Amino acid sequence: GTYMLGIGCTFFFFYFLHRRKMSTGVPSMRAALVSGFGAAPAVLSVGSAPLPPPPSPTKPQVLVQVYACSLSPSDYRMMSGDASVIKNPRSGKFPYIPGGDIAGVVLSSSSNRFAAGDRVVCTWRAWGEGGLAEQCLVEEQFVEVLPSGMSFVDGAALADSAVNAMLCVEDAGV
């Protein structure tokens, strides 16, 4: 289900993101953009988005070069306008970049835990700009080291599955 959808979306969008070069003079990146509420294929397009700012010196953040991003059911529910996820401050502000779970390489960091070149996986649930873009700025608390030998695609798909499994275990009181 979600894993295969994530792989398909990852391949489709990143093929186009990295295939085309930016032609504007403004610092920007390629990203998947959601233009309004509706069905995923109809409201998604690939376009230009501003580059994320550098990590803040006042709070631990990590700037990640995104190599893979998975879309979870929450991403699709938010795109469709589902009232249960409208609490998200990004909801209703278009265009926005979807994608909550990413894997990639650290470009820069204001964190003591991560340095440029580290392979990481992130679950981005603070509802900032999403990860279906070339770069994503993530708060340190949502970043972990990508296990050695694990691919970026597997890492991006793992985050949502791992969080859901952990919640199930906690709910069961195990």
Side-chain angles (χ1 to χ4, degrees):
T2 302
Y3 177 78
M4 291 308 294
L5 238 144
I7 291 173
C9 290
T10 298
F11 174 77
F12 173 76
F13 282 111
F14 281 90
Y15 172 76
F16 287 102
L17 287 178
H18 293 289
R19 184 170 168 250
R20 301 182 192 175
K21 297 294 181 197
M22 300 304 297
S23 60
T24 65
V26 178
S28 60
M29 63 181 174
R30 304 286 303 164
L33 301 170
V34 175
S35 59
F37 294 130
V43 299
L44 279 173
S45 64
V46 176
S48 296
L51 283 170
S56 168
T58 60
K59 61 182 174 181
Q61 296 178 320
V62 178
L63 181 61
V64 178
Q65 177 72 43
V66 179
Y67 288 126
C69 177
S70 65
L71 296 177
S72 71
S74 295
D75 291 301
Y76 290 104
R77 288 173 47 213
M78 195 167 117
M79 279 184 248
S80 71
D82 185 330
S84 66
V85 292
I86 297 301
K87 297 174 204 142
N88 173 346
R90 292 293 309 155
S91 295
K93 297 177 184 174
F94 301 105
Y96 74 88
I97 303 169
D101 301 318
I102 65 171
V105 173
V106 174
L107 293 173
S108 62
S109 173
S110 60
S111 161
N112 293 329
R113 291 180 51 214
F114 302 100
D118 288 349
R119 291 170 27 103
V120 295
V121 60
C122 315
T123 184
W124 183 232
R125 296 294 181 224
W127 301 111
E129 286 290 355
L132 208 47
E134 292 178 295
Q135 295 180 12
C136 188
L137 183 64
V138 185
E139 293 176 24
E140 177 193 73
Q141 68 193 36
F142 300 105
V143 183
E144 291 299 331
V145 172
L146 181 67
S148 62
M150 181 175 280
S151 74
F152 290 112
V153 171
D154 288 344
L158 173 70
D160 189 54
S161 301
V163 168
N164 284 324
M166 181 188 70
L167 292 173
C168 289
V169 168
E170 287 176 356
D171 287 348
V174 177

